């Protein structure tokens, strides 16, 4: 079976900034595929190219069996797009937004109205259907955005950061909805996110994006199992010297020791066995420990291993900048 | 191409509904031209003693001028709706959907035409209520509406095209205000052609704003110059067509910039 989305060596520059630097992805039909990376990694630019909003400087892209560069009109009929920005008319009601989207996708008036009502019911927006979108809460507006992308039963759906800015309850609801789409309706979903748990929860396959290219791709489990062993995070006391603590951990047999503020992160073969020895070594050398945790590898560890930065750190650096 | 007409209808409906839902905006739209009419009407009341103003009151002379100036100012803002759509993400959603680009432009033009007609009729009614008498009657008013809508189409498209190129409110406002005032004053909107300096008369001959004013004023007069009106409307229609087509091409520039 052909891939639902296939991008090959996409390059896109904006002036001196290289947003995509040879990005390649291959998304099998009927799956949820996650593009994971911090803001500025090139995920949104990749979505813009694949949804025919912009053209790459080089590379090829096929979406739902159509060449995105040569046949953009055919691609536009086959995709639903939900971007980070709303995309709904604030002066129109929820129902009017959906009906208009349906008409522009070629549905008849009757089809568009019944589809709009079905989607409003499915997303729990029936009561708000006649209210203008300006009055919607953030979570309601986000649901309407996703509903807008589904009006014409697209075989391929793009969700660019679908849960950014949502509270935990709304996020969980959105996750359930996305999972249902792929499972029950066979929709191929390409999801971009900088939330690790989101990719871990939803995506059957994940591509980790860094500086405009895919640095690793596979199932979340396969990516994590490439990292052998466990992660130990040691919280230091206020008077401790991180450099000294680092060398103590190294001498005690821990690998890949990195520092993040007052915490050290290290890799060991078996966490449960290693922790007593590490604690003893730290105490012997006069390093006070405020906390110690052991974790199975996360996608964050995968990201750190591949890019030399933690995803959380990269996102925070982005915010600080 | 087959989607152009239905998409234009759907998108025009969206604009009109949005307009009617903002009562403050509706009121401003209706009141603003009246301020022009009454302000200029008072300010220049004595001007009719100058040559070229004909026998009637200044209000009768001024009304078509204010109609066209109002159209120019309103349509110059047309591109703001495009920029709002860009900021909100509506533009990107439309452009990654099968929505017809021509319809996106045409619906904006149709909506500008809709507000143009409302504003023009309000001005005519208030002028008549204030004592102005238009010998050209209903036919004259209809011709003025055609001239006004054609100018609105031309200038609204220009505003939309610039919006797609600059993608920024401040730049669009700057562009629009820099163009609207000189274009108004380089026309016979508020002053008779005969009372203008020679060079302004020459500029006005090539100014589509003056075509619209002159055609409207002539059509409203007792003795319309139908040949002159016909040529000016034809010229306005051509300018409107060319600018609408060029503005639709500006979507390509927008695609390149996102």
């Amino acid at each position: 079976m052909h891939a639902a989305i296939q991008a090959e060596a996409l390059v896109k520059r904006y002036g001196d900034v290289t947003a995509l630097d040879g990005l390649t992805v291959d998304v099998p039909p009927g799956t949820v595929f996650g593009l994971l990376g911090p803001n500025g990694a090139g995920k949104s630019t990749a979505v813009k190219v694949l949804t025919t909003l912009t053209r790459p400087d080089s590379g090829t892209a096929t979406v739902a069996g159509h060449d995105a560069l040569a046949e953009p009109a055919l691609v536009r009929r086959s995709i639903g797009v939900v971007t980070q920005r709303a995309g709904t008319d604030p002066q129109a009601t929820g129902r009017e937004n959906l009906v208009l989207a349906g008409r522009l996708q070629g549905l008849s008036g009757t089809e568009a109205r019944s589809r709009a009502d079905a989607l409003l019911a499915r997303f729990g927006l029936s009561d708000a259907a006649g209210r203008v979108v300006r009055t919607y809460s953030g979570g309601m507006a986000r649901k309407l955005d996703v509903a807008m992308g589904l009006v014409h039963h697209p075989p391929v759906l793009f969700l660019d950061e679908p849960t950014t800015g949502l509270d935990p309850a709304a996020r969980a609801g959105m996750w359930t909805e996305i999972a249902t789409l792929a499972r029950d309706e066979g929709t191929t979903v390409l999801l971009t996110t900088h939330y690790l748990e989101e990719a871990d929860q939803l995506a059957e396959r994940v591509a980790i994006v860094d500086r405009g290219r895919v640095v690793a791709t596979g199932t979340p489990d396969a990516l994590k199992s490439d990292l052998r062993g466990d992660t130990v995070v040691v919280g230091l006391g206020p008077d401790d010297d991180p450099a000294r603590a680092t060398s103590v951990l190294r001498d005690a047999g821990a690998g890949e020791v990195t520092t993040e503020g007052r915490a050290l992160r290290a890799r060991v073969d078996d966490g449960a066995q290693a922790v007593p020895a590490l604690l003893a070594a730290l105490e012997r050398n006069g390093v006070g420990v405020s906390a110690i945790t052991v974790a199975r590898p996360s996608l964050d560890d995968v990201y750190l291993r591949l890019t030399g930065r933690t995803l959380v750190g990269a996102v925070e650096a982005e915010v600080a900048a | 191409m087959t989607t152009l007409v239905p998409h234009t209808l759907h998108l025009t409906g969206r604009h009109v509904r949005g307009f009617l839902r903002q009562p403050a905006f509706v009121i401003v739209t209706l009141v603003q031209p009246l301020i022009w009419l009454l302000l200029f009407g008072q300010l220049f009341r004595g001007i009719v003693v100058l040559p070229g103003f004909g026998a009637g009151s200044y209000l009768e002379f001024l009304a078509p001028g204010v109609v066209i100036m109002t159209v120019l100012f309103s349509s110059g803002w047309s591109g703001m709706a495009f920029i709002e759509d860009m900021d909100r993400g509506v533009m990107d959603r439309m452009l990654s959907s099968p929505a017809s680009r021509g319809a996106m432009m045409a619906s904006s033009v149709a909506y500008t035409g809709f507000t143009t007609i409302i504003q023009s009729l309000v001005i005519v009614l208030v002028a008549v209520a204030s004592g102005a008498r238009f010998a050209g009657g209903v036919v004259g008013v209809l011709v003025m509406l055609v001239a006004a809508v054609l100018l609105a189409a031309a200038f609204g498209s220009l505003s939309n095209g610039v919006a797609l190129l600059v993608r920024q409110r401040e730049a669009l406002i700057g562009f629009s205000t820099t163009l609207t005032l000189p274009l108004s004053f380089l026309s016979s909107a508020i002053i008779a052609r005969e009372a203008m300096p020679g060079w302004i008369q020459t500029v006005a001959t090539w100014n589509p704003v003056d075509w619209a004013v002159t055609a409207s004023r002539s059509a409203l007069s007792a003795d319309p110059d139908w040949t002159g009106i016909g040529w000016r409307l034809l010229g306005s229609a051509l300018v409107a067509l060319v600018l609408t087509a060029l503005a639709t091409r500006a979507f390509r520039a927008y695609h390149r910039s996102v």
Side-chain angles (χ1 to χ4, degrees):
Chain A
M1 201 154 176
H2 290 299
I5 303 170
Q6 199 161 29
E8 186 73 41
L10 293 178
V11 174
K12 176 76 181 175
R13 289 187 199 88
Y14 296 100
D16 294 339
V17 180
T18 303
L20 295 179
D21 188 16
L23 182 129
T24 297
V25 284
D26 209 324
V27 181
T31 61
V32 179
F33 189 93
L35 282 185
L36 178 65
N39 294 328
K43 296 169 299 180
S44 293
T45 308
V47 170
K48 283 178 183 169
V49 170
L50 294 171
T51 57
T52 75
L53 202 52
T54 193
R55 293 175 69 88
D57 296 325
S58 66
T60 60
T62 310
V63 178
H66 305 294
D67 185 331
L69 301 175
E71 313 164 302
L74 293 176
V75 170
R76 288 174 193 140
R77 292 191 178 286
S78 314
I79 59 171
V81 187
V82 181
T83 64
Q84 293 177 49
R85 288 177 302 163
T88 48
D89 180 355
Q91 302 295 349
T93 66
R95 182 183 280 112
E96 284 167 354
N97 267 295
L98 287 168
V99 171
L100 177 63
R103 300 303 310 256
L104 294 178
Q105 283 287 355
L107 303 188
S108 75
T110 321
E111 284 168 341
R113 280 188 292 275
S114 72
R115 180 69 178 149
D117 287 334
L119 284 168
L120 287 162
R122 171 169 166 189
F123 284 91
L125 293 171
S126 296
D127 291 343
R131 269 166 52 194
V132 293
V133 172
R134 189 159 36 85
T135 65
Y136 280 26
S137 71
M140 290 162 72
R142 209 74 195 112
K143 286 184 198 167
L144 182 64
D145 286 336
V146 177
M148 294 277 283
L150 294 173
V151 161
H152 53 299
H153 295 284
V156 177
L157 179 68
F158 291 88
L159 297 171
D160 194 3
E161 307 272 357
T163 63
T164 301
L166 291 189
D167 61 55
R171 178 174 300 165
M174 191 63 84
W175 284 358
T176 311
E177 204 50 61
I178 295 168
T180 310
L181 273 172
R183 197 182 53 232
D184 299 350
E185 300 181 26
T187 311
T188 306
V189 179
L190 185 128
L191 168 91
T192 79
T193 184
H194 58 254
Y195 294 120
L196 294 154
E197 334 111 71
E198 189 158 289
D200 214 351
Q201 279 266 330
L202 289 176
E204 284 143 81
R205 292 173 67 78
V206 171
I208 294 180
V209 184
D210 186 52
R211 292 170 194 173
R213 47 197 315 155
V214 172
V215 290
T217 181
T219 65
D221 285 339
L223 289 174
K224 285 185 279 189
S225 68
D226 281 350
L227 293 171
R228 262 192 294 279
D230 295 328
T231 302
V232 176
V233 179
V234 179
L236 296 178
D239 305 324
D240 295 321
D241 174 14
R244 177 166 164 71
T246 300
S247 69
V248 171
L249 287 180
R250 285 208 178 110
D251 292 345
E256 298 173 32
V257 185
T258 54
T259 314
E260 281 166 49
R262 304 222 51 85
L264 298 181
R265 183 184 279 263
R267 182 153 306 289
V268 294
D269 284 340
D270 182 340
Q273 212 167 44
V275 164
L278 293 179
L279 279 174
L282 288 165
E283 197 182 334
R284 245 194 335 272
N285 289 280
V287 180
V289 173
S290 66
I292 187 159
T293 55
V294 179
R296 300 288 305 153
S298 68
L299 280 176
D300 202 5
D301 297 308
V302 177
Y303 188 83
L304 174 68
R305 164 81 150 262
L306 291 165
T307 66
R309 292 167 293 147
T310 64
L311 188 56
V312 176
V315 171
E316 277 164 4
E318 185 75 30
V319 170
Chain B
M1 231 24 210
T2 50
T3 55
L4 179 64
V5 174
H7 283 195
T8 302
L9 290 175
H10 301 318
L11 291 170
T12 307
R14 173 199 163 203
H15 291 307
V16 173
R17 279 193 303 268
F19 171 74
L20 296 176
R21 285 219 177 93
Q22 300 173 82
F25 188 47
V26 175
I27 291 168
V28 169
T29 304
L30 296 180
V31 168
Q32 191 195 35
L34 299 183
I35 296 176
W36 288 117
L37 187 68
L38 301 175
L39 192 73
F40 283 124
Q42 290 295 306
L43 190 62
F44 296 121
R45 198 164 38 172
I47 209 169
V48 280
V49 299
L50 294 174
F53 281 91
S57 73
Y58 182 60
L59 197 59
E60 279 158 30
F61 175 86
L62 182 67
V66 168
V67 164
I68 298 303
M69 273 177 77
T70 304
V71 165
L72 193 61
F73 291 166
S74 296
S75 60
W77 282 91
S78 171
M80 290 299 277
F82 271 42
I83 290 180
E84 268 164 37
D85 277 355
M86 288 175 206
D87 292 346
R88 174 94 184 160
V90 175
M91 182 67 80
D92 287 1
R93 184 191 286 279
M94 295 264 188
L95 292 179
S96 57
S97 85
S100 151
R101 274 71 178 144
M104 289 169 72
M105 194 55 67
S107 63
S108 167
V109 168
Y111 165 65
T112 308
F114 163 80
T115 48
T116 292
I117 290 172
I118 295 177
Q119 289 187 312
S120 305
L121 290 177
V122 168
I123 295 169
V124 170
L125 289 177
V126 170
V128 169
S130 309
R133 289 295 170 262
F134 301 109
V138 175
V139 174
V141 172
L142 286 177
V143 169
M144 180 175 74
L145 290 181
V146 171
V149 168
L150 288 175
L151 184 71
F155 212 61
S157 294
L158 183 64
S159 175
N160 292 342
V162 170
L164 287 169
L165 295 177
V166 301
R167 307 183 302 281
Q168 216 188 12
R169 275 160 222 276
E170 293 76 9
L172 178 66
I173 294 170
F175 173 83
S176 168
T177 44
T178 313
L179 214 56
T180 43
L181 279 177
L183 281 178
S184 302
F185 292 128
L186 293 173
S187 81
S188 54
I190 56 173
I191 194 159
R193 194 177 173 80
E194 287 78 357
M196 294 175 180
W199 71 271
I200 294 186
Q201 288 189 27
T202 313
V203 175
T205 307
W206 298 101
N207 179 358
V209 178
D210 190 68
W211 303 347
V213 174
T214 307
S216 303
R217 196 169 281 143
S218 176
L220 289 171
S221 72
D223 181 23
D225 164 19
W226 289 113
T227 315
I229 292 170
W231 280 115
R232 288 188 174 89
L233 291 185
L234 188 66
S236 302
L238 282 175
V239 170
L241 264 179
V242 168
L243 285 177
T244 310
L246 283 179
T248 306
R249 285 191 60 113
F251 279 115
R252 298 183 192 188
Y254 179 80
H255 270 296
R256 274 196 299 276
S257 72
V258 290

